[in-house]
mmCIF file with all atom_site columns, all heavy atoms in Angstrom:
data_model
loop_
_atom_site.group_PDB
_atom_site.id
_atom_site.type_symbol
_atom_site.label_atom_id
_atom_site.label_alt_id
_atom_site.label_comp_id
_atom_site.label_asym_id
_atom_site.label_entity_id
_atom_site.label_seq_id
_atom_site.pdbx_PDB_ins_code
_atom_site.Cartn_x
_atom_site.Cartn_y
_atom_site.Cartn_z
_atom_site.occupancy
_atom_site.B_iso_or_equiv
_atom_site.pdbx_formal_charge
_atom_site.auth_seq_id
_atom_site.auth_comp_id
_atom_site.auth_asym_id
_atom_site.auth_atom_id
_atom_site.pdbx_PDB_model_num
ATOM 1   N N   . TYR A 1 1  ? 1.003   -24.763 11.091 1.00 94.00 ? 78  TYR A N   1
ATOM 2   C CA  . TYR A 1 1  ? 1.094   -24.694 12.569 1.00 94.00 ? 78  TYR A CA  1
ATOM 3   C C   . TYR A 1 1  ? 0.683   -23.256 13.032 1.00 94.00 ? 78  TYR A C   1
ATOM 4   O O   . TYR A 1 1  ? -0.131  -23.114 13.963 1.00 94.00 ? 78  TYR A O   1
ATOM 5   C CB  . TYR A 1 1  ? 2.482   -25.001 13.081 1.00 94.00 ? 78  TYR A CB  1
ATOM 6   C CG  . TYR A 1 1  ? 2.638   -24.829 14.534 1.00 94.00 ? 78  TYR A CG  1
ATOM 7   C CD1 . TYR A 1 1  ? 2.053   -25.727 15.478 1.00 94.00 ? 78  TYR A CD1 1
ATOM 8   C CD2 . TYR A 1 1  ? 3.258   -23.670 15.085 1.00 94.00 ? 78  TYR A CD2 1
ATOM 9   C CE1 . TYR A 1 1  ? 2.217   -25.558 16.805 1.00 94.00 ? 78  TYR A CE1 1
ATOM 10  C CE2 . TYR A 1 1  ? 3.356   -23.473 16.411 1.00 94.00 ? 78  TYR A CE2 1
ATOM 11  C CZ  . TYR A 1 1  ? 2.866   -24.386 17.284 1.00 94.00 ? 78  TYR A CZ  1
ATOM 12  O OH  . TYR A 1 1  ? 2.924   -24.215 18.647 1.00 94.00 ? 78  TYR A OH  1
ATOM 13  N N   . LEU A 1 2  ? 1.215   -22.237 12.393 1.00 94.00 ? 79  LEU A N   1
ATOM 14  C CA  . LEU A 1 2  ? 0.939   -20.903 12.785 1.00 94.00 ? 79  LEU A CA  1
ATOM 15  C C   . LEU A 1 2  ? -0.607  -20.590 12.667 1.00 94.00 ? 79  LEU A C   1
ATOM 16  O O   . LEU A 1 2  ? -1.166  -20.021 13.573 1.00 94.00 ? 79  LEU A O   1
ATOM 17  C CB  . LEU A 1 2  ? 1.717   -19.898 11.893 1.00 94.00 ? 79  LEU A CB  1
ATOM 18  C CG  . LEU A 1 2  ? 1.441   -18.392 12.101 1.00 94.00 ? 79  LEU A CG  1
ATOM 19  C CD1 . LEU A 1 2  ? 1.821   -17.974 13.516 1.00 94.00 ? 79  LEU A CD1 1
ATOM 20  C CD2 . LEU A 1 2  ? 2.212   -17.570 11.090 1.00 94.00 ? 79  LEU A CD2 1
ATOM 21  N N   . LEU A 1 3  ? -1.168  -21.026 11.560 1.00 94.00 ? 80  LEU A N   1
ATOM 22  C CA  . LEU A 1 3  ? -2.587  -20.764 11.368 1.00 94.00 ? 80  LEU A CA  1
ATOM 23  C C   . LEU A 1 3  ? -3.435  -21.536 12.418 1.00 94.00 ? 80  LEU A C   1
ATOM 24  O O   . LEU A 1 3  ? -4.404  -20.934 12.909 1.00 94.00 ? 80  LEU A O   1
ATOM 25  C CB  . LEU A 1 3  ? -3.018  -21.207 9.934  1.00 94.00 ? 80  LEU A CB  1
ATOM 26  C CG  . LEU A 1 3  ? -2.518  -20.389 8.779  1.00 94.00 ? 80  LEU A CG  1
ATOM 27  C CD1 . LEU A 1 3  ? -2.922  -20.858 7.456  1.00 94.00 ? 80  LEU A CD1 1
ATOM 28  C CD2 . LEU A 1 3  ? -2.890  -18.916 9.006  1.00 94.00 ? 80  LEU A CD2 1
ATOM 29  N N   . LYS A 1 4  ? -3.083  -22.765 12.689 1.00 95.00 ? 81  LYS A N   1
ATOM 30  C CA  . LYS A 1 4  ? -3.826  -23.434 13.740 1.00 95.00 ? 81  LYS A CA  1
ATOM 31  C C   . LYS A 1 4  ? -3.679  -22.830 15.144 1.00 95.00 ? 81  LYS A C   1
ATOM 32  O O   . LYS A 1 4  ? -4.674  -22.829 15.882 1.00 95.00 ? 81  LYS A O   1
ATOM 33  C CB  . LYS A 1 4  ? -3.320  -24.954 13.815 1.00 95.00 ? 81  LYS A CB  1
ATOM 34  C CG  . LYS A 1 4  ? -3.864  -25.808 12.602 1.00 95.00 ? 81  LYS A CG  1
ATOM 35  C CD  . LYS A 1 4  ? -3.399  -27.224 12.759 1.00 95.00 ? 81  LYS A CD  1
ATOM 36  C CE  . LYS A 1 4  ? -3.869  -28.026 11.589 1.00 95.00 ? 81  LYS A CE  1
ATOM 37  N NZ  . LYS A 1 4  ? -4.894  -28.889 11.872 1.00 95.00 ? 81  LYS A NZ  1
ATOM 38  N N   . GLN A 1 5  ? -2.513  -22.304 15.439 1.00 95.00 ? 82  GLN A N   1
ATOM 39  C CA  . GLN A 1 5  ? -2.398  -21.596 16.727 1.00 95.00 ? 82  GLN A CA  1
ATOM 40  C C   . GLN A 1 5  ? -3.231  -20.362 16.742 1.00 95.00 ? 82  GLN A C   1
ATOM 41  O O   . GLN A 1 5  ? -3.806  -20.001 17.744 1.00 95.00 ? 82  GLN A O   1
ATOM 42  C CB  . GLN A 1 5  ? -0.878  -21.245 16.950 1.00 95.00 ? 82  GLN A CB  1
ATOM 43  C CG  . GLN A 1 5  ? -0.027  -22.539 17.136 1.00 95.00 ? 82  GLN A CG  1
ATOM 44  C CD  . GLN A 1 5  ? -0.598  -23.480 18.192 1.00 95.00 ? 82  GLN A CD  1
ATOM 45  O OE1 . GLN A 1 5  ? -0.728  -23.112 19.332 1.00 95.00 ? 82  GLN A OE1 1
ATOM 46  N NE2 . GLN A 1 5  ? -0.939  -24.678 17.843 1.00 95.00 ? 82  GLN A NE2 1
ATOM 47  N N   . ARG A 1 6  ? -3.226  -19.619 15.629 1.00 95.00 ? 83  ARG A N   1
ATOM 48  C CA  . ARG A 1 6  ? -4.029  -18.372 15.527 1.00 95.00 ? 83  ARG A CA  1
ATOM 49  C C   . ARG A 1 6  ? -5.551  -18.744 15.705 1.00 95.00 ? 83  ARG A C   1
ATOM 50  O O   . ARG A 1 6  ? -6.275  -18.082 16.460 1.00 95.00 ? 83  ARG A O   1
ATOM 51  C CB  . ARG A 1 6  ? -3.826  -17.694 14.242 1.00 95.00 ? 83  ARG A CB  1
ATOM 52  C CG  . ARG A 1 6  ? -2.478  -16.982 14.280 1.00 95.00 ? 83  ARG A CG  1
ATOM 53  C CD  . ARG A 1 6  ? -2.202  -16.157 13.149 1.00 95.00 ? 83  ARG A CD  1
ATOM 54  N NE  . ARG A 1 6  ? -1.033  -15.299 13.371 1.00 95.00 ? 83  ARG A NE  1
ATOM 55  C CZ  . ARG A 1 6  ? -0.282  -14.770 12.398 1.00 95.00 ? 83  ARG A CZ  1
ATOM 56  N NH1 . ARG A 1 6  ? -0.605  -14.899 11.155 1.00 95.00 ? 83  ARG A NH1 1
ATOM 57  N NH2 . ARG A 1 6  ? 0.709   -14.003 12.763 1.00 95.00 ? 83  ARG A NH2 1
ATOM 58  N N   . VAL A 1 7  ? -5.973  -19.748 15.023 1.00 95.00 ? 84  VAL A N   1
ATOM 59  C CA  . VAL A 1 7  ? -7.388  -20.187 15.168 1.00 95.00 ? 84  VAL A CA  1
ATOM 60  C C   . VAL A 1 7  ? -7.719  -20.650 16.550 1.00 95.00 ? 84  VAL A C   1
ATOM 61  O O   . VAL A 1 7  ? -8.711  -20.351 17.091 1.00 95.00 ? 84  VAL A O   1
ATOM 62  C CB  . VAL A 1 7  ? -7.753  -21.278 14.098 1.00 95.00 ? 84  VAL A CB  1
ATOM 63  C CG1 . VAL A 1 7  ? -9.056  -21.885 14.350 1.00 95.00 ? 84  VAL A CG1 1
ATOM 64  C CG2 . VAL A 1 7  ? -7.727  -20.619 12.707 1.00 95.00 ? 84  VAL A CG2 1
ATOM 65  N N   . SER A 1 8  ? -6.772  -21.371 17.181 1.00 94.00 ? 85  SER A N   1
ATOM 66  C CA  . SER A 1 8  ? -6.982  -21.869 18.568 1.00 94.00 ? 85  SER A CA  1
ATOM 67  C C   . SER A 1 8  ? -7.167  -20.677 19.495 1.00 94.00 ? 85  SER A C   1
ATOM 68  O O   . SER A 1 8  ? -8.047  -20.650 20.363 1.00 94.00 ? 85  SER A O   1
ATOM 69  C CB  . SER A 1 8  ? -5.873  -22.746 18.978 1.00 94.00 ? 85  SER A CB  1
ATOM 70  O OG  . SER A 1 8  ? -5.987  -23.189 20.314 1.00 94.00 ? 85  SER A OG  1
ATOM 71  N N   . ALA A 1 9  ? -6.271  -19.689 19.337 1.00 94.00 ? 86  ALA A N   1
ATOM 72  C CA  . ALA A 1 9  ? -6.352  -18.503 20.211 1.00 94.00 ? 86  ALA A CA  1
ATOM 73  C C   . ALA A 1 9  ? -7.664  -17.730 19.970 1.00 94.00 ? 86  ALA A C   1
ATOM 74  O O   . ALA A 1 9  ? -8.316  -17.223 20.886 1.00 94.00 ? 86  ALA A O   1
ATOM 75  C CB  . ALA A 1 9  ? -5.207  -17.576 19.941 1.00 94.00 ? 86  ALA A CB  1
ATOM 76  N N   . ALA A 1 10 ? -8.087  -17.679 18.681 1.00 94.00 ? 87  ALA A N   1
ATOM 77  C CA  . ALA A 1 10 ? -9.347  -17.066 18.334 1.00 94.00 ? 87  ALA A CA  1
ATOM 78  C C   . ALA A 1 10 ? -10.529 -17.788 18.965 1.00 94.00 ? 87  ALA A C   1
ATOM 79  O O   . ALA A 1 10 ? -11.520 -17.154 19.448 1.00 94.00 ? 87  ALA A O   1
ATOM 80  C CB  . ALA A 1 10 ? -9.478  -16.991 16.771 1.00 94.00 ? 87  ALA A CB  1
ATOM 81  N N   . GLN A 1 11 ? -10.476 -19.144 19.000 1.00 94.00 ? 88  GLN A N   1
ATOM 82  C CA  . GLN A 1 11 ? -11.557 -19.887 19.597 1.00 94.00 ? 88  GLN A CA  1
ATOM 83  C C   . GLN A 1 11 ? -11.705 -19.581 21.053 1.00 94.00 ? 88  GLN A C   1
ATOM 84  O O   . GLN A 1 11 ? -12.788 -19.420 21.599 1.00 94.00 ? 88  GLN A O   1
ATOM 85  C CB  . GLN A 1 11 ? -11.336 -21.407 19.390 1.00 94.00 ? 88  GLN A CB  1
ATOM 86  C CG  . GLN A 1 11 ? -11.573 -21.918 18.055 1.00 94.00 ? 88  GLN A CG  1
ATOM 87  C CD  . GLN A 1 11 ? -11.294 -23.372 17.899 1.00 94.00 ? 88  GLN A CD  1
ATOM 88  O OE1 . GLN A 1 11 ? -10.158 -23.782 18.114 1.00 94.00 ? 88  GLN A OE1 1
ATOM 89  N NE2 . GLN A 1 11 ? -12.319 -24.174 17.525 1.00 94.00 ? 88  GLN A NE2 1
ATOM 90  N N   . ASP A 1 12 ? -10.538 -19.443 21.778 1.00 93.00 ? 89  ASP A N   1
ATOM 91  C CA  . ASP A 1 12 ? -10.609 -19.077 23.182 1.00 93.00 ? 89  ASP A CA  1
ATOM 92  C C   . ASP A 1 12 ? -11.265 -17.691 23.334 1.00 93.00 ? 89  ASP A C   1
ATOM 93  O O   . ASP A 1 12 ? -12.075 -17.493 24.271 1.00 93.00 ? 89  ASP A O   1
ATOM 94  C CB  . ASP A 1 12 ? -9.163  -19.068 23.738 1.00 93.00 ? 89  ASP A CB  1
ATOM 95  C CG  . ASP A 1 12 ? -8.606  -20.455 23.950 1.00 93.00 ? 89  ASP A CG  1
ATOM 96  O OD1 . ASP A 1 12 ? -9.394  -21.460 23.872 1.00 93.00 ? 89  ASP A OD1 1
ATOM 97  O OD2 . ASP A 1 12 ? -7.343  -20.569 24.036 1.00 93.00 ? 89  ASP A OD2 1
ATOM 98  N N   . MET A 1 13 ? -10.886 -16.765 22.439 1.00 94.00 ? 90  MET A N   1
ATOM 99  C CA  . MET A 1 13 ? -11.485 -15.440 22.619 1.00 94.00 ? 90  MET A CA  1
ATOM 100 C C   . MET A 1 13 ? -12.947 -15.415 22.230 1.00 94.00 ? 90  MET A C   1
ATOM 101 O O   . MET A 1 13 ? -13.729 -14.690 22.834 1.00 94.00 ? 90  MET A O   1
ATOM 102 C CB  . MET A 1 13 ? -10.685 -14.388 21.677 1.00 94.00 ? 90  MET A CB  1
ATOM 103 C CG  . MET A 1 13 ? -9.255  -14.193 22.236 1.00 94.00 ? 90  MET A CG  1
ATOM 104 S SD  . MET A 1 13 ? -8.323  -13.238 21.072 1.00 94.00 ? 90  MET A SD  1
ATOM 105 C CE  . MET A 1 13 ? -8.926  -11.591 21.548 1.00 94.00 ? 90  MET A CE  1
ATOM 106 N N   . LEU A 1 14 ? -13.305 -16.177 21.202 1.00 93.00 ? 91  LEU A N   1
ATOM 107 C CA  . LEU A 1 14 ? -14.770 -16.238 20.828 1.00 93.00 ? 91  LEU A CA  1
ATOM 108 C C   . LEU A 1 14 ? -15.544 -16.846 21.980 1.00 93.00 ? 91  LEU A C   1
ATOM 109 O O   . LEU A 1 14 ? -16.731 -16.436 22.193 1.00 93.00 ? 91  LEU A O   1
ATOM 110 C CB  . LEU A 1 14 ? -14.928 -17.109 19.543 1.00 93.00 ? 91  LEU A CB  1
ATOM 111 C CG  . LEU A 1 14 ? -14.492 -16.496 18.272 1.00 93.00 ? 91  LEU A CG  1
ATOM 112 C CD1 . LEU A 1 14 ? -14.386 -17.601 17.175 1.00 93.00 ? 91  LEU A CD1 1
ATOM 113 C CD2 . LEU A 1 14 ? -15.452 -15.365 17.792 1.00 93.00 ? 91  LEU A CD2 1
ATOM 114 N N   . ARG A 1 15 ? -14.962 -17.753 22.658 1.00 91.00 ? 92  ARG A N   1
ATOM 115 C CA  . ARG A 1 15 ? -15.694 -18.471 23.675 1.00 91.00 ? 92  ARG A CA  1
ATOM 116 C C   . ARG A 1 15 ? -15.802 -17.609 24.979 1.00 91.00 ? 92  ARG A C   1
ATOM 117 O O   . ARG A 1 15 ? -16.788 -17.678 25.780 1.00 91.00 ? 92  ARG A O   1
ATOM 118 C CB  . ARG A 1 15 ? -14.966 -19.762 24.079 1.00 91.00 ? 92  ARG A CB  1
ATOM 119 C CG  . ARG A 1 15 ? -15.627 -20.595 25.158 1.00 91.00 ? 92  ARG A CG  1
ATOM 120 C CD  . ARG A 1 15 ? -14.797 -21.822 25.560 1.00 91.00 ? 92  ARG A CD  1
ATOM 121 N NE  . ARG A 1 15 ? -14.316 -22.624 24.406 1.00 91.00 ? 92  ARG A NE  1
ATOM 122 C CZ  . ARG A 1 15 ? -13.088 -22.755 24.039 1.00 91.00 ? 92  ARG A CZ  1
ATOM 123 N NH1 . ARG A 1 15 ? -12.164 -22.141 24.682 1.00 91.00 ? 92  ARG A NH1 1
ATOM 124 N NH2 . ARG A 1 15 ? -12.768 -23.520 22.995 1.00 91.00 ? 92  ARG A NH2 1
ATOM 125 N N   . THR A 1 16 ? -14.787 -16.736 25.273 1.00 92.00 ? 93  THR A N   1
ATOM 126 C CA  . THR A 1 16 ? -14.692 -16.056 26.569 1.00 92.00 ? 93  THR A CA  1
ATOM 127 C C   . THR A 1 16 ? -14.884 -14.574 26.555 1.00 92.00 ? 93  THR A C   1
ATOM 128 O O   . THR A 1 16 ? -14.860 -13.935 27.613 1.00 92.00 ? 93  THR A O   1
ATOM 129 C CB  . THR A 1 16 ? -13.352 -16.398 27.212 1.00 92.00 ? 93  THR A CB  1
ATOM 130 O OG1 . THR A 1 16 ? -12.318 -15.938 26.425 1.00 92.00 ? 93  THR A OG1 1
ATOM 131 C CG2 . THR A 1 16 ? -13.274 -17.945 27.460 1.00 92.00 ? 93  THR A CG2 1
ATOM 132 N N   . THR A 1 17 ? -14.914 -13.950 25.366 1.00 91.00 ? 94  THR A N   1
ATOM 133 C CA  . THR A 1 17 ? -15.077 -12.518 25.306 1.00 91.00 ? 94  THR A CA  1
ATOM 134 C C   . THR A 1 17 ? -16.238 -12.098 24.412 1.00 91.00 ? 94  THR A C   1
ATOM 135 O O   . THR A 1 17 ? -16.804 -12.874 23.707 1.00 91.00 ? 94  THR A O   1
ATOM 136 C CB  . THR A 1 17 ? -13.808 -11.852 24.701 1.00 91.00 ? 94  THR A CB  1
ATOM 137 O OG1 . THR A 1 17 ? -13.783 -12.135 23.317 1.00 91.00 ? 94  THR A OG1 1
ATOM 138 C CG2 . THR A 1 17 ? -12.528 -12.308 25.411 1.00 91.00 ? 94  THR A CG2 1
ATOM 139 N N   . ASP A 1 18 ? -16.573 -10.777 24.481 1.00 91.00 ? 95  ASP A N   1
ATOM 140 C CA  . ASP A 1 18 ? -17.579 -10.216 23.708 1.00 91.00 ? 95  ASP A CA  1
ATOM 141 C C   . ASP A 1 18 ? -17.027 -9.472  22.478 1.00 91.00 ? 95  ASP A C   1
ATOM 142 O O   . ASP A 1 18 ? -17.773 -8.793  21.828 1.00 91.00 ? 95  ASP A O   1
ATOM 143 C CB  . ASP A 1 18 ? -18.498 -9.314  24.477 1.00 91.00 ? 95  ASP A CB  1
ATOM 144 C CG  . ASP A 1 18 ? -19.355 -10.063 25.525 1.00 91.00 ? 95  ASP A CG  1
ATOM 145 O OD1 . ASP A 1 18 ? -19.598 -11.267 25.385 1.00 91.00 ? 95  ASP A OD1 1
ATOM 146 O OD2 . ASP A 1 18 ? -19.812 -9.436  26.469 1.00 91.00 ? 95  ASP A OD2 1
ATOM 147 N N   . LYS A 1 19 ? -15.734 -9.607  22.320 1.00 93.00 ? 96  LYS A N   1
ATOM 148 C CA  . LYS A 1 19 ? -15.112 -8.837  21.223 1.00 93.00 ? 96  LYS A CA  1
ATOM 149 C C   . LYS A 1 19 ? -15.772 -9.231  19.893 1.00 93.00 ? 96  LYS A C   1
ATOM 150 O O   . LYS A 1 19 ? -16.182 -10.306 19.693 1.00 93.00 ? 96  LYS A O   1
ATOM 151 C CB  . LYS A 1 19 ? -13.614 -9.164  21.201 1.00 93.00 ? 96  LYS A CB  1
ATOM 152 C CG  . LYS A 1 19 ? -12.808 -8.532  22.176 1.00 93.00 ? 96  LYS A CG  1
ATOM 153 C CD  . LYS A 1 19 ? -11.354 -8.807  21.878 1.00 93.00 ? 96  LYS A CD  1
ATOM 154 C CE  . LYS A 1 19 ? -10.403 -8.058  22.827 1.00 93.00 ? 96  LYS A CE  1
ATOM 155 N NZ  . LYS A 1 19 ? -8.939  -8.298  22.495 1.00 93.00 ? 96  LYS A NZ  1
ATOM 156 N N   . SER A 1 20 ? -15.734 -8.237  18.992 1.00 94.00 ? 97  SER A N   1
ATOM 157 C CA  . SER A 1 20 ? -16.258 -8.535  17.613 1.00 94.00 ? 97  SER A CA  1
ATOM 158 C C   . SER A 1 20 ? -15.284 -9.486  16.898 1.00 94.00 ? 97  SER A C   1
ATOM 159 O O   . SER A 1 20 ? -14.151 -9.576  17.223 1.00 94.00 ? 97  SER A O   1
ATOM 160 C CB  . SER A 1 20 ? -16.372 -7.192  16.815 1.00 94.00 ? 97  SER A CB  1
ATOM 161 O OG  . SER A 1 20 ? -15.156 -6.719  16.553 1.00 94.00 ? 97  SER A OG  1
ATOM 162 N N   . ILE A 1 21 ? -15.820 -10.104 15.871 1.00 94.00 ? 98  ILE A N   1
ATOM 163 C CA  . ILE A 1 21 ? -15.070 -11.042 15.143 1.00 94.00 ? 98  ILE A CA  1
ATOM 164 C C   . ILE A 1 21 ? -13.861 -10.402 14.427 1.00 94.00 ? 98  ILE A C   1
ATOM 165 O O   . ILE A 1 21 ? -12.739 -10.923 14.371 1.00 94.00 ? 98  ILE A O   1
ATOM 166 C CB  . ILE A 1 21 ? -15.948 -11.851 14.139 1.00 94.00 ? 98  ILE A CB  1
ATOM 167 C CG1 . ILE A 1 21 ? -16.829 -12.743 14.945 1.00 94.00 ? 98  ILE A CG1 1
ATOM 168 C CG2 . ILE A 1 21 ? -15.072 -12.694 13.162 1.00 94.00 ? 98  ILE A CG2 1
ATOM 169 C CD1 . ILE A 1 21 ? -17.857 -13.562 14.139 1.00 94.00 ? 98  ILE A CD1 1
ATOM 170 N N   . VAL A 1 22 ? -14.073 -9.196  13.951 1.00 95.00 ? 99  VAL A N   1
ATOM 171 C CA  . VAL A 1 22 ? -13.005 -8.438  13.307 1.00 95.00 ? 99  VAL A CA  1
ATOM 172 C C   . VAL A 1 22 ? -11.922 -8.119  14.305 1.00 95.00 ? 99  VAL A C   1
ATOM 173 O O   . VAL A 1 22 ? -10.698 -8.218  14.019 1.00 95.00 ? 99  VAL A O   1
ATOM 174 C CB  . VAL A 1 22 ? -13.468 -7.161  12.446 1.00 95.00 ? 99  VAL A CB  1
ATOM 175 C CG1 . VAL A 1 22 ? -13.952 -6.109  13.480 1.00 95.00 ? 99  VAL A CG1 1
ATOM 176 C CG2 . VAL A 1 22 ? -12.405 -6.675  11.615 1.00 95.00 ? 99  VAL A CG2 1
ATOM 177 N N   . ASP A 1 23 ? -12.302 -7.719  15.539 1.00 95.00 ? 100 ASP A N   1
ATOM 178 C CA  . ASP A 1 23 ? -11.255 -7.391  16.595 1.00 95.00 ? 100 ASP A CA  1
ATOM 179 C C   . ASP A 1 23 ? -10.460 -8.689  16.938 1.00 95.00 ? 100 ASP A C   1
ATOM 180 O O   . ASP A 1 23 ? -9.273  -8.647  17.213 1.00 95.00 ? 100 ASP A O   1
ATOM 181 C CB  . ASP A 1 23 ? -11.941 -6.836  17.813 1.00 95.00 ? 100 ASP A CB  1
ATOM 182 C CG  . ASP A 1 23 ? -12.436 -5.410  17.590 1.00 95.00 ? 100 ASP A CG  1
ATOM 183 O OD1 . ASP A 1 23 ? -11.938 -4.696  16.684 1.00 95.00 ? 100 ASP A OD1 1
ATOM 184 O OD2 . ASP A 1 23 ? -13.322 -4.949  18.338 1.00 95.00 ? 100 ASP A OD2 1
ATOM 185 N N   . ILE A 1 24 ? -11.175 -9.746  17.014 1.00 95.00 ? 101 ILE A N   1
ATOM 186 C CA  . ILE A 1 24 ? -10.483 -11.057 17.322 1.00 95.00 ? 101 ILE A CA  1
ATOM 187 C C   . ILE A 1 24 ? -9.564  -11.419 16.207 1.00 95.00 ? 101 ILE A C   1
ATOM 188 O O   . ILE A 1 24 ? -8.392  -11.769 16.412 1.00 95.00 ? 101 ILE A O   1
ATOM 189 C CB  . ILE A 1 24 ? -11.540 -12.172 17.591 1.00 95.00 ? 101 ILE A CB  1
ATOM 190 C CG1 . ILE A 1 24 ? -12.229 -11.888 18.931 1.00 95.00 ? 101 ILE A CG1 1
ATOM 191 C CG2 . ILE A 1 24 ? -10.838 -13.542 17.656 1.00 95.00 ? 101 ILE A CG2 1
ATOM 192 C CD1 . ILE A 1 24 ? -13.380 -12.830 19.217 1.00 95.00 ? 101 ILE A CD1 1
ATOM 193 N N   . ALA A 1 25 ? -10.002 -11.256 14.981 1.00 94.00 ? 102 ALA A N   1
ATOM 194 C CA  . ALA A 1 25 ? -9.130  -11.625 13.855 1.00 94.00 ? 102 ALA A CA  1
ATOM 195 C C   . ALA A 1 25 ? -7.909  -10.814 13.821 1.00 94.00 ? 102 ALA A C   1
ATOM 196 O O   . ALA A 1 25 ? -6.796  -11.366 13.713 1.00 94.00 ? 102 ALA A O   1
ATOM 197 C CB  . ALA A 1 25 ? -9.928  -11.369 12.570 1.00 94.00 ? 102 ALA A CB  1
ATOM 198 N N   . LEU A 1 26 ? -8.014  -9.517  14.122 1.00 94.00 ? 103 LEU A N   1
ATOM 199 C CA  . LEU A 1 26 ? -6.823  -8.595  14.185 1.00 94.00 ? 103 LEU A CA  1
ATOM 200 C C   . LEU A 1 26 ? -5.913  -8.986  15.373 1.00 94.00 ? 103 LEU A C   1
ATOM 201 O O   . LEU A 1 26 ? -4.714  -8.886  15.218 1.00 94.00 ? 103 LEU A O   1
ATOM 202 C CB  . LEU A 1 26 ? -7.230  -7.189  14.172 1.00 94.00 ? 103 LEU A CB  1
ATOM 203 C CG  . LEU A 1 26 ? -7.985  -6.678  12.937 1.00 94.00 ? 103 LEU A CG  1
ATOM 204 C CD1 . LEU A 1 26 ? -8.442  -5.259  13.151 1.00 94.00 ? 103 LEU A CD1 1
ATOM 205 C CD2 . LEU A 1 26 ? -7.109  -6.733  11.674 1.00 94.00 ? 103 LEU A CD2 1
ATOM 206 N N   . SER A 1 27 ? -6.502  -9.340  16.470 1.00 93.00 ? 104 SER A N   1
ATOM 207 C CA  . SER A 1 27 ? -5.737  -9.570  17.700 1.00 93.00 ? 104 SER A CA  1
ATOM 208 C C   . SER A 1 27 ? -5.020  -10.898 17.606 1.00 93.00 ? 104 SER A C   1
ATOM 209 O O   . SER A 1 27 ? -4.084  -11.128 18.414 1.00 93.00 ? 104 SER A O   1
ATOM 210 C CB  . SER A 1 27 ? -6.576  -9.548  18.871 1.00 93.00 ? 104 SER A CB  1
ATOM 211 O OG  . SER A 1 27 ? -7.472  -10.593 18.914 1.00 93.00 ? 104 SER A OG  1
ATOM 212 N N   . VAL A 1 28 ? -5.297  -11.789 16.702 1.00 94.00 ? 105 VAL A N   1
ATOM 213 C CA  . VAL A 1 28 ? -4.591  -13.080 16.583 1.00 94.00 ? 105 VAL A CA  1
ATOM 214 C C   . VAL A 1 28 ? -3.751  -13.123 15.267 1.00 94.00 ? 105 VAL A C   1
ATOM 215 O O   . VAL A 1 28 ? -3.269  -14.114 14.924 1.00 94.00 ? 105 VAL A O   1
ATOM 216 C CB  . VAL A 1 28 ? -5.504  -14.341 16.668 1.00 94.00 ? 105 VAL A CB  1
ATOM 217 C CG1 . VAL A 1 28 ? -6.173  -14.438 17.993 1.00 94.00 ? 105 VAL A CG1 1
ATOM 218 C CG2 . VAL A 1 28 ? -6.571  -14.375 15.547 1.00 94.00 ? 105 VAL A CG2 1
ATOM 219 N N   . GLY A 1 29 ? -3.568  -11.905 14.687 1.00 93.00 ? 106 GLY A N   1
ATOM 220 C CA  . GLY A 1 29 ? -2.654  -11.779 13.591 1.00 93.00 ? 106 GLY A CA  1
ATOM 221 C C   . GLY A 1 29 ? -3.157  -11.892 12.121 1.00 93.00 ? 106 GLY A C   1
ATOM 222 O O   . GLY A 1 29 ? -2.354  -11.841 11.192 1.00 93.00 ? 106 GLY A O   1
ATOM 223 N N   . PHE A 1 30 ? -4.455  -11.945 12.004 1.00 93.00 ? 107 PHE A N   1
ATOM 224 C CA  . PHE A 1 30 ? -5.033  -11.997 10.672 1.00 93.00 ? 107 PHE A CA  1
ATOM 225 C C   . PHE A 1 30 ? -5.201  -10.439 10.231 1.00 93.00 ? 107 PHE A C   1
ATOM 226 O O   . PHE A 1 30 ? -5.569  -9.637  10.986 1.00 93.00 ? 107 PHE A O   1
ATOM 227 C CB  . PHE A 1 30 ? -6.382  -12.635 10.572 1.00 93.00 ? 107 PHE A CB  1
ATOM 228 C CG  . PHE A 1 30 ? -6.211  -14.123 10.681 1.00 93.00 ? 107 PHE A CG  1
ATOM 229 C CD1 . PHE A 1 30 ? -6.346  -14.772 11.882 1.00 93.00 ? 107 PHE A CD1 1
ATOM 230 C CD2 . PHE A 1 30 ? -5.954  -14.892 9.557  1.00 93.00 ? 107 PHE A CD2 1
ATOM 231 C CE1 . PHE A 1 30 ? -6.192  -16.189 12.007 1.00 93.00 ? 107 PHE A CE1 1
ATOM 232 C CE2 . PHE A 1 30 ? -5.791  -16.257 9.653  1.00 93.00 ? 107 PHE A CE2 1
ATOM 233 C CZ  . PHE A 1 30 ? -5.923  -16.921 10.873 1.00 93.00 ? 107 PHE A CZ  1
ATOM 234 N N   . SER A 1 31 ? -4.863  -10.201 8.955  1.00 91.00 ? 108 SER A N   1
ATOM 235 C CA  . SER A 1 31 ? -4.963  -8.768  8.415  1.00 91.00 ? 108 SER A CA  1
ATOM 236 C C   . SER A 1 31 ? -6.362  -8.367  8.107  1.00 91.00 ? 108 SER A C   1
ATOM 237 O O   . SER A 1 31 ? -6.697  -7.243  8.071  1.00 91.00 ? 108 SER A O   1
ATOM 238 C CB  . SER A 1 31 ? -3.998  -8.551  7.324  1.00 91.00 ? 108 SER A CB  1
ATOM 239 O OG  . SER A 1 31 ? -4.259  -9.425  6.253  1.00 91.00 ? 108 SER A OG  1
#
């Protein structure tokens, strides 16, 4: 569940921001 929520939040950020993938990964809790 936690991983799915993190991926879902990342999808929203990938869709709506210009942030780099590494910044998105870190902002949704991936190390």
Side-chain angles (χ1 to χ4, degrees):
Y78 174 77
L79 176 63
L80 291 179
K81 285 184 181 248
Q82 294 308 300
R83 285 184 168 159
V84 167
S85 178
Q88 285 178 300
D89 289 341
M90 293 175 79
L91 287 165
R92 184 184 310 112
T93 60
T94 71
D95 292 338
K96 284 186 172 184
S97 70
I98 292 175
V99 70
D100 288 339
I101 291 172
L103 296 174
S104 68
V105 297
F107 288 94
S108 57

